[in-house]
Amino acid sequence: MPFHLETERLILRPWDESDAAGLRALHSERGTGTHTVEYVRADIAEQLAATATTGIALLPVQRRAEGDFIGYCGLIIGRTTLEEPEIAYELFQRVHGHGYATEAARAVLDAAAATGRTRLWATVGTWNTPSLRVLAKLGFERNRDTVEKNGEVAWLTRTLP
């Protein structure tokens, strides 16, 4: 998978240590506490190591015009496999509703298809209606629901061309 993707409005690129402050702020929006900068830098190092091992990546997303970090999008093994990875994305609440998640995820879908993969997964809390809408726009279909310690999770799949 390419580690640098560009769309009309977005750039998805490899992680850099300078992304730590933005990622820390994004994690804080989850409402589960604020991690230290050192913790977030270690998270970035783990992402880079995983990318080197698997050849897939979770990439920072920045807006072209503004040049600001607005979240991340990419492929992970997560609850699935390397052959059929999971698409993941998270954006700052301040940029929700502008189509950025759909645009970034579409670029990742195209990159995944170019690797020869035939199917992707997505898992999302059933309460997360906006994320479920993004996945529906991208052609993901509900496969099943499971109950985990944090609540009900929808499992969705998308066949790639």
Side-chain angles (χ1 to χ4, degrees):
M1 160 179 180
F3 303 135
H4 187 93
L5 304 171
E6 295 192 19
T7 70
E8 182 180 331
R9 301 180 299 162
L10 304 172
I11 297 171
L12 290 77
R13 55 168 177 73
W15 290 99
D16 185 84
E17 192 172 291
S18 64
D19 295 316
L23 185 58
R24 182 175 185 244
L26 181 63
H27 286 174
S28 294
E29 277 195 355
R30 295 176 181 168
T32 57
T34 302
H35 297 293
T36 64
V37 172
E38 293 76 23
Y39 177 91
V40 176
R41 284 188 180 133
D43 187 30
I44 290 171
E46 286 178 26
Q47 289 293 332
L48 292 170
T51 297
T53 301
T54 64
I56 60 174
L58 197 59
L59 303 169
V61 177
Q62 70 183 61
R63 293 186 289 188
R64 279 178 180 268
E66 295 83 350
D68 59 336
F69 170 88
I70 62 167
Y72 60 79
C73 183
L75 298 177
I76 61 171
I77 294 174
R79 297 174 175 104
T80 59
T81 66
L82 182 58
E83 294 76 25
E84 293 186 358
E86 184 176 339
I87 193 165
Y89 49 86
E90 182 177 11
L91 301 179
F92 280 114
Q93 293 172 11
R94 65 181 165 79
V95 299
H96 287 188
H98 297 282
Y100 295 130
T102 303
E103 187 173 332
R106 194 172 314 280
V108 169
L109 282 176
D110 292 344
T115 68
R117 287 184 169 80
T118 58
R119 184 164 70 165
L120 293 183
W121 289 85
T123 58
V124 62
T126 56
W127 57 267
N128 192 341
T129 304
S131 191
L132 290 168
R133 276 197 303 265
V134 167
L135 293 167
K137 287 179 199 173
L138 296 169
F140 279 81
E141 296 179 354
R142 196 95 157 235
N143 179 278
R144 68 181 182 273
D145 292 351
T146 59
V147 177
E148 299 182 7
K149 70 177 185 174
N150 293 333
E152 194 173 25
V153 174
W155 291 67
L156 303 98
T157 60
R158 161 78 195 276
T159 302
L160 299 175

